[in-house]
Amino acid sequence: MSAPEISVVVPVYNEEASLHELHERVAKALDGESYELVLVDDGSADRSREILRELSAAHPEVVAVELSRNYGQHPAVLAGFEVSRGLHVVTLDADLQNPPEEIPRIVEELRAGHDIVGTVRERRQDPWLRKRVSGLVNRVTTASLGVGMTDYGCMLRGYSREIAEEVVELAERSAFIPALATTLAQNPVEIHVAHGEREEGHSKYSTLRLMRLGADLVTGFSLLPIQLVSITGMAIALLGVAFAGFLMVRRLIVGPEVEGVFTLFAILFAFIGVLMLAVGVVGEYVARIYAEVRRRPIYRIRRVVSSGRTDGDT
Ligand code: UDP
Ligand code: MG
């Protein structure tokens, strides 16, 4: 079987409840097209893996990729990129928050020659705080990448074969695929897509995990945070010098001051806070360097199951 035109890549982590519907809706949306559906099982603990095997046995267009353990959403997508063969690659989430019915619109843009199709979620269905945080992260990322994309978080996206391959090649341990791909794009475009509420299961992202993802995104592509730390440090030092000057003048005019001990504490605590933040930011970069230096694999594919692929390239 020759390579299909379209690859739909979906990371799957404990999504047993939505897999059948996902497959049906993708099949319907791409009816008549030459496509493959690459489902990457990211070490699920529920029945997802069996369901993927069943689907791939029953449908030649389904390719089930099994990772050796849970690596996370973005590594799972990378594994899917590696296994996929289509000229156009579309990613989406397994929980059906991204409607598969939007895939043809993304493919249309890819066929028109765009190498990246970004998406903006219309009427995004997520908790309020999460949307605010994600808005902030999007703006910082845009500022540090220098390329504007309104919404990096939406995984319903399209990539050309070249971009998908470059992303696999260049990905670091904590790569955030939409942002990394954007740095490689020559002719990107953004479209608006619908976004639904999660119907089955629950989000795999806890607040802590989201904070870590945000930190990855912000420190992964720029030195801006570390420069901000230096600038803040400098500003505080200047303020300190100015304050010392003021105290000296005051001592000459009003005499020595004895009160205000607790004000001093307050100021001290603020400084210590900034200091700890600074150490944290530096640590963020050191951790990234450490992870890169160790050179552990970002993901490991244990098995590729497909009834449609006959060339045995697993
Ligand atoms: N996912 C994954 N590995 C993980 C966490 C999530 O493959 O460790 C998949 C998950 O199955 C889903 C997608 O990534 O297809 C997005 O996850 P989720 O819906 O939990 O994230 P949210 O929509 O809350 O951002
Ligand atoms: Mg989701």
Side-chain angles (χ1 to χ4, degrees):
M1 202 172 98
S2 61
E5 189 202 0
I6 306 161
S7 293
V8 179
V9 173
V10 185
V12 174
Y13 181 53
N14 297 343
E15 305 278 6
E16 57 182 8
S18 54
L19 291 175
H20 283 290
E21 186 185 342
L22 174 77
H23 169 256
E24 270 157 36
R25 284 171 64 181
V26 170
K28 207 159 169 196
L30 291 177
D31 188 31
E33 303 279 5
S34 146
Y35 77 99
E36 64 180 354
L37 175 58
V38 180
L39 297 163
V40 185
D41 171 47
D42 186 21
S44 298
D46 65 356
R47 287 199 60 247
S48 296
R49 184 166 296 212
E50 286 91 88
I51 297 174
L52 294 194
R53 284 190 188 171
E54 285 160 23
L55 282 175
S56 73
H59 307 278
E61 79 280 6
V62 175
V63 180
V65 181
E66 297 174 7
L67 302 188
S68 58
R69 62 169 170 86
N70 179 239
Y71 289 89
Q73 179 183 3
H74 291 268
V77 172
L78 286 178
F81 279 0
E82 189 192 316
V83 172
S84 74
R85 299 188 299 185
L87 192 61
H88 309 304
V89 184
V90 177
T91 56
L92 78 157
D93 285 348
D95 58 3
L96 296 167
Q97 279 190 287
N98 313 131
E101 289 70 32
E102 302 273 16
I103 298 174
R105 290 182 51 218
I106 292 176
V107 171
E108 198 179 303
E109 299 292 339
L110 290 168
R111 281 184 182 143
H114 294 289
D115 52 0
I116 289 197
V117 185
T119 47
V120 182
R121 286 168 280 196
E122 214 125 83
R123 290 184 301 278
R124 183 170 169 195
Q125 305 289 324
D126 272 322
W128 181 87
L129 182 68
R130 182 148 175 200
K131 284 195 276 196
R132 297 289 89 76
V133 172
S134 133
L136 182 72
V137 169
N138 281 331
R139 275 196 298 279
V140 174
T141 310
T142 300
S144 53
L145 289 183
V147 208
M149 281 265 172
T150 328
D151 185 359
Y152 286 96
C154 181
M155 288 305 281
L156 177 58
R157 284 171 174 266
Y159 307 90
S160 68
R161 173 91 259 144
E162 291 76 41
I163 295 279
E165 269 165 25
E166 283 170 27
V167 166
V168 172
E169 192 186 320
L170 298 176
E172 301 139 49
R173 284 209 58 81
S174 36
F176 192 85
I177 295 168
L180 176 60
T182 303
T183 63
L184 304 168
Q186 278 175 344
N187 185 14
V189 68
E190 255 186 337
I191 62 172
H192 286 260
V193 293
H195 188 245
E197 220 157 322
R198 196 180 233 284
E199 278 163 23
E200 309 286 349
H202 52 85
S203 174
K204 310 296 180 295
Y205 284 103
S206 61
T207 310
L208 188 67
R209 229 175 145 175
L210 274 177
M211 279 170 65
R212 284 171 50 194
L213 193 71
D216 271 349
L217 193 50
V218 171
T219 55
F221 294 96
S222 84
L223 296 175
L224 189 71
I226 224 166
Q227 283 156 355
L228 281 181
V229 163
S230 324
I231 292 169
T232 314
M234 245 175 329
I236 289 177
L238 282 178
L239 272 177
V241 171
F243 192 49
F246 164 76
L247 286 183
M248 233 152 74
V249 175
R250 197 192 119 102
R251 180 180 274 262
L252 293 180
I253 300 172
V254 195
E257 54 119 28
V258 274
E259 275 174 283
V261 176
F262 290 101
T263 317
L264 196 60
F265 264 102
I267 295 171
L268 194 70
F269 283 163
F271 283 4
I272 291 176
V274 171
L275 218 75
M276 278 167 75
L277 181 74
V279 173
V281 170
V282 175
E284 198 64 49
Y285 284 95
V286 174
R288 292 186 74 90
I289 295 170
Y290 176 57
E292 282 307 302
V293 166
R294 275 200 306 182
R295 287 248 147 260
R296 295 267 173 82
I298 302 173
Y299 57 83
R300 204 161 265 294
I301 297 175
R302 179 156 290 165
R303 191 179 286 116
V304 178
V305 191
S306 160
S307 58
R309 288 192 181 184
T310 47
D311 47 358
D313 65 342
T314 50

